[in-house]
Amino acid sequence: MGDIIQLLPDHVANQIAAGEVVQRPASVVKELLENSIDAGANTIKLIVKEAGKTLIQVIDNGKGMSATDARLSFERHATSKIRSAEDLFSLSTKGFRGEALASIAAIAHVELKTKQDQDELGTLIVIEGSEIKNQEVTVTPTGTSLSIKHLFFNIPARRNFLKSNNVELRHIVDEFHRVALAHPDIEFLMYHNGSESFNLSKSNYRQRVVNIFGNKTNEKLVPVEEETEVLKISGFVGKPEFAKRTRTEQFFFVNNRYIKSPYLNHSINSAFEGLMKDGSHPSYFLNLTVDPKSIDINIHPTKTEIKFDDEHTLYAILRSAVKHSLGQFNIAPVLDFDRDRNLDTPYTFENKRASTPTVEVDRSFNPFQEEKKPIRFNSVSSSYRKEPAAQWESLYVGLESKGTKNDTDFSEVQFESQPESTSLFDDDKSIETKQTTYQLHNKYIISTIKSGMMILDQHRAHQRVLYEGLLKHLTVKESVSQQLLFPLLLEFSSSEMDILQNLKEDLEHTGFVFSSFKENTIEITGVPINVPESEVSIILEQLISDVEQEVPDSNFSATDLLAKSMSKSLAIKTGQSLSPLEQEHLVNSLFACKEPTVSPTDKVTFITMSVDDFDKKFI
């Protein structure tokens, strides 16, 4: 039998590696932005067209590359970041694998322009599918400009797996946020389809967070500062009352590198324990500085997962630091039974200057002088003596004697306060209303049927009823709104505003009335009937969360998603008590639906148990 093992060609090996490094346009954006940061740039511009499917261009003013380095940068495992294996344990750069550019060049059209400061002319390289088409001298400013066009042009199957432009753009914006938050000392600009999306100038960390997530974010932030021998923590956490239903404002940075760590995320949740509602997630923007030798970054191609030498210590320090900040700024309630409230200084005295105390002396005071008691006159005092009020029993004193004289029997007297109640029906023919439904643990509704018993999940059943009603309003486009007495102002981040902008028309068909859509604020003047004003923000946050977590396919319908999300938010919750009339109405409404057996998420709404099933239990 002959030899069957052979080396793969370079272009095939690069395409295989590209499957790990480049999963979607956002992966390209991440790699290019990190290369610009490693090049020492202080201004980085990102240009995107058609959510990165047509063009991704990153322009920086870094140190640039020579002609030889520019050509060599597209080879596999070619990098300027490390020299030996020992360098992996003291990394100070974003990249170190040397795979990004080679992988990108294997699946796209790449155009590179670069120039070093000491050179008069730069270098232009054009590559298509790992094949160099052109290399020449060109005029270009100092720095590097890298254009990625027609991503996955030679892998049509991978291109077909890409989601819609809105979804892919949202992933690009997420990567842009992660890199921009980690480096507030660098100016970032982003353009999509010719319009400016972000213009983030150099600033401190707090201002960078506010510039990305909106002006009102400033009042939500609580600073966290802690420095130990093992770990240095700096950044901010959000106040519990501003907790969101999504995880879009949760950022961990280790040595200025964005990471994902469910273990450290749990430490933040434990610090907020008891301060937030169920289903809410705290916001945090935390920078962790550790010894590079105590972490291992080289465990995943995306470099978003890190191994720590001592995770338990980091967990404890992070949890205590967050709890300390929440207590220090009076966010978390503190029970101090030994504290004397009389020693508390009012806030109004904060800027008040202390005054010199004055001493007043009563010079006419004589301690040896006898005190003269005032003379009281009994006649005068008795005339002003207050008589005690008569008790109510005294009103009936003597009624017994009066009754004996007039021979009046009060049991026979009829009073107007007791009117005679009449009925249209005789007693034997009166209509009796019997209760046919019962609520169990404020979660299930039990109803009797001919064959036995039906047990209904009230939350899922109400979801189905609301879902079909909302779908009807959305498709027929006829809805009824209730106008608010005062407009409702809600603030969202730029990415959340994009989602709401795309769903604005469908929301209006459900009954929402928007008076304005500003940069980070929306003004609502009308809401659907049966939607309380206090629930509007919760409904919209839940909708944003569902849109972000949804994996849309070719049959994705924004209308269906909107109906599902709103029905889940408005449905009767587990633990809510219902009257017998409400229970019966819910049962009747469910069986008036087209699909009463399942909820909008394809979960069973009710089960039945026959008499035979009960008989078997008693055998």
Side-chain angles (χ1 to χ4, degrees):
M1 187 175 179
D3 299 334
I4 60 174
I5 296 178
Q6 58 183 354
L7 289 173
L8 290 174
D10 287 343
H11 69 280
V12 177
N14 287 338
Q15 286 189 11
I16 295 173
E20 295 181 355
V21 179
V22 183
Q23 300 171 355
R24 58 189 346 137
S27 305
V28 177
V29 171
K30 173 180 179 294
E31 297 293 344
L32 298 186
L33 290 178
E34 289 181 347
N35 283 344
S36 296
I37 293 171
D38 289 338
N42 54 26
T43 300
I44 301 175
K45 183 184 296 183
L46 171 64
I47 301 173
V48 178
K49 289 185 179 179
E50 299 297 329
K53 298 176 183 177
T54 302
L55 172 68
I56 299 174
Q57 184 177 9
V58 173
I59 305 171
D60 66 63
N61 61 348
K63 56 187 177 183
M65 293 182 285
S66 64
T68 304
D69 287 344
R71 173 64 186 84
L72 196 59
S73 63
F74 290 98
E75 298 293 333
R76 290 190 68 196
H77 310 303
T79 180
S80 62
K81 315 298 172 60
I82 61 174
R83 290 286 184 269
S84 62
E86 287 75 17
D87 295 340
L88 290 172
F89 301 100
S90 58
L91 287 171
S92 59
T93 57
K94 301 288 185 181
F96 53 88
R97 292 174 178 269
E99 293 179 336
L101 290 181
S103 300
I104 294 170
I107 56 173
H109 295 178
V110 180
E111 181 181 291
L112 170 68
K113 292 181 180 180
T114 183
K115 185 181 84 72
Q116 293 181 324
D117 191 31
Q118 67 272 15
D119 297 334
E120 293 184 0
L121 297 173
T123 304
L124 169 66
I125 297 179
V126 179
I127 301 177
E128 296 180 4
S130 295
E131 183 180 350
I132 298 180
K133 296 295 184 180
N134 184 26
Q135 180 174 350
E136 61 183 23
V137 179
T138 187
V139 177
T140 183
T142 301
T144 302
S145 171
L146 199 58
S147 302
I148 312 299
K149 303 176 183 178
H150 310 301
L151 193 65
F152 298 122
F153 80 100
N154 53 355
I155 313 179
R158 287 294 299 273
R159 189 174 180 88
N160 292 334
F161 276 109
L162 294 179
K163 307 302 180 186
S164 64
N165 286 354
N166 290 332
V167 175
E168 294 300 337
L169 179 62
R170 193 157 61 245
H171 285 287
I172 290 175
V173 171
D174 288 342
E175 291 293 347
F176 182 81
H177 285 173
R178 293 165 184 173
V179 176
L181 282 172
H183 299 276
D185 56 333
I186 299 177
E187 181 183 6
F188 287 92
L189 298 96
M190 177 177 172
Y191 299 87
H192 179 246
N193 291 341
S195 61
E196 185 180 83
S197 300
F198 292 95
N199 188 345
L200 307 175
S201 58
K202 300 177 184 179
S203 61
N204 57 30
Y205 190 54
R206 189 184 192 109
Q207 190 61 42
R208 176 57 57 89
V209 173
V210 172
N211 289 339
I212 291 178
F213 295 100
N215 295 328
K216 286 195 174 180
T217 310
N218 190 33
E219 64 184 74
K220 307 176 185 178
L221 300 179
V222 178
V224 179
E225 296 287 340
E226 190 66 43
E227 186 171 359
T228 65
E229 297 179 355
V230 180
L231 172 69
K232 179 183 177 182
I233 304 172
S234 63
F236 304 93
V237 295
K239 296 179 181 178
E241 59 265 30
F242 298 107
K244 304 176 72 67
R245 294 198 171 255
T246 62
R247 300 179 184 270
T248 53
E249 294 184 3
Q250 295 185 344
F251 295 90
F252 273 126
F253 301 99
V254 175
N255 295 350
N256 293 330
R257 183 191 302 274
Y258 172 79
I259 68 160
K260 297 178 181 178
S261 177
Y263 186 69
L264 296 182
N265 178 71
H266 187 272
S267 68
I268 304 294
N269 290 333
S270 63
F272 278 87
E273 188 176 1
L275 300 176
M276 298 185 305
K277 298 179 181 179
D278 293 337
S280 300
H281 305 286
S283 302
Y284 55 80
F285 313 88
L286 296 176
N287 297 301
L288 311 181
T289 305
V290 298
D291 185 0
K293 296 180 180 179
S294 66
I295 58 176
D296 184 7
I297 305 171
N298 190 26
I299 62 174
H300 196 275
T302 60
K303 300 184 282 291
T304 56
E305 298 179 12
I306 290 182
K307 264 194 174 306
F308 296 94
D309 282 351
D310 190 359
E311 283 188 331
H312 299 289
T313 302
L314 297 182
Y315 182 100
I317 295 175
L318 187 59
R319 180 176 179 271
S320 61
V322 174
K323 288 184 72 72
H324 174 70
S325 293
L326 293 176
Q328 182 181 8
F329 291 92
N330 296 326
I331 305 300
V334 179
L335 292 177
D336 187 0
F337 297 102
D338 298 328
R339 183 170 63 91
D340 188 358
R341 288 185 173 273
N342 295 325
L343 300 178
D344 291 346
T345 304
Y347 288 109
T348 55
F349 287 7
E350 181 180 4
N351 300 321
K352 193 174 182 180
R353 300 184 64 180
S355 58
T356 305
T358 58
V359 180
E360 296 182 358
V361 179
D362 185 6
R363 299 187 181 278
S364 63
F365 175 71
N366 185 359
F368 302 103
Q369 184 179 359
E370 294 183 359
E371 184 180 358
K372 296 181 179 180
K373 295 183 180 181
I375 301 175
R376 294 183 179 180
F377 299 95
N378 292 333
S379 59
V380 176
S381 61
S382 60
S383 61
Y384 289 97
R385 185 177 301 167
K386 187 177 181 181
E387 296 293 338
Q391 300 295 328
W392 63 271
E393 294 91 342
S394 62
L395 299 174
Y396 298 93
V397 175
L399 286 179
E400 296 83 357
S401 60
K402 293 179 181 179
T404 55
K405 293 180 181 179
N406 299 331
D407 295 331
T408 305
D409 187 3
F410 285 95
S411 62
E412 299 177 356
V413 177
Q414 295 183 353
F415 297 93
E416 293 183 0
S417 59
Q418 296 178 356
E420 183 179 354
S421 60
T422 59
S423 176
L424 296 175
F425 304 97
D426 296 334
D427 294 339
D428 56 342
K429 294 182 180 180
S430 61
I431 298 176
E432 295 182 2
T433 57
K434 293 183 179 179
Q435 184 175 350
T436 58
T437 58
Y438 303 90
Q439 195 173 20
L440 178 65
H441 292 300
N442 290 341
K443 183 177 183 180
Y444 300 105
I445 295 176
I446 300 175
S447 179
T448 57
I449 55 178
K450 289 183 178 180
S451 60
M453 181 177 68
M454 178 184 67
I455 304 174
L456 180 142
D457 188 310
Q458 66 182 32
H459 179 64
R460 294 181 184 177
H462 199 211
Q463 274 192 58
R464 166 54 64 177
V465 175
L466 292 173
Y467 171 71
E468 294 197 3
L470 287 167
L471 271 185
K472 181 179 179 181
H473 288 310
L474 288 169
T475 52
V476 179
K477 299 183 179 179
E478 293 181 358
S479 61
V480 181
S481 302
Q482 55 182 0
Q483 297 300 309
L484 299 177
L485 185 60
F486 300 102
L488 184 62
L489 293 175
L490 298 177
E491 180 152 341
F492 298 94
S493 64
S494 57
S495 58
E496 293 172 342
M497 288 294 293
D498 291 338
I499 294 174
L500 292 176
Q501 188 71 46
N502 294 331
L503 296 174
K504 179 183 177 182
E505 184 178 352
D506 292 325
L507 285 169
E508 288 174 342
H509 293 155
T510 63
F512 283 97
V513 179
F514 301 98
S515 58
S516 67
F517 255 79
K518 297 181 181 178
E519 184 178 356
N520 291 105
T521 307
I522 61 174
E523 186 177 74
I524 301 174
T525 56
V527 296
I529 291 180
N530 299 328
V531 174
E533 183 179 348
S534 58
E535 296 285 329
V536 173
S537 61
I538 299 175
I539 292 171
L540 294 181
E541 285 183 6
Q542 182 66 52
L543 175 61
I544 293 170
S545 174
D546 291 338
V547 171
E548 290 177 340
Q549 296 174 6
E550 182 80 13
V551 183
D553 52 15
S554 57
N555 298 323
F556 169 69
S557 170
T559 302
D560 183 69
L561 177 63
L562 177 60
K564 285 182 180 178
S565 178
M566 290 189 63
S567 63
K568 181 168 60 175
S569 301
L570 295 173
I572 297 169
K573 303 298 186 291
T574 298
Q576 184 173 344
S577 178
L578 302 177
S579 65
L581 189 61
E582 292 172 334
Q583 299 169 24
E584 187 174 354
H585 178 70
L586 178 58
V587 174
N588 294 335
S589 300
L590 175 65
F591 287 98
C593 296
K594 294 180 179 179
E595 291 289 340
T597 56
V598 292
S599 68
T601 54
D602 294 330
K603 294 182 180 179
V604 177
T605 56
F606 67 90
I607 60 172
T608 57
M609 297 184 68
S610 64
V611 177
D612 294 336
D613 295 332
F614 288 107
D615 292 339
K616 292 176 183 178
K617 300 291 183 181
F618 289 95
I619 294 177

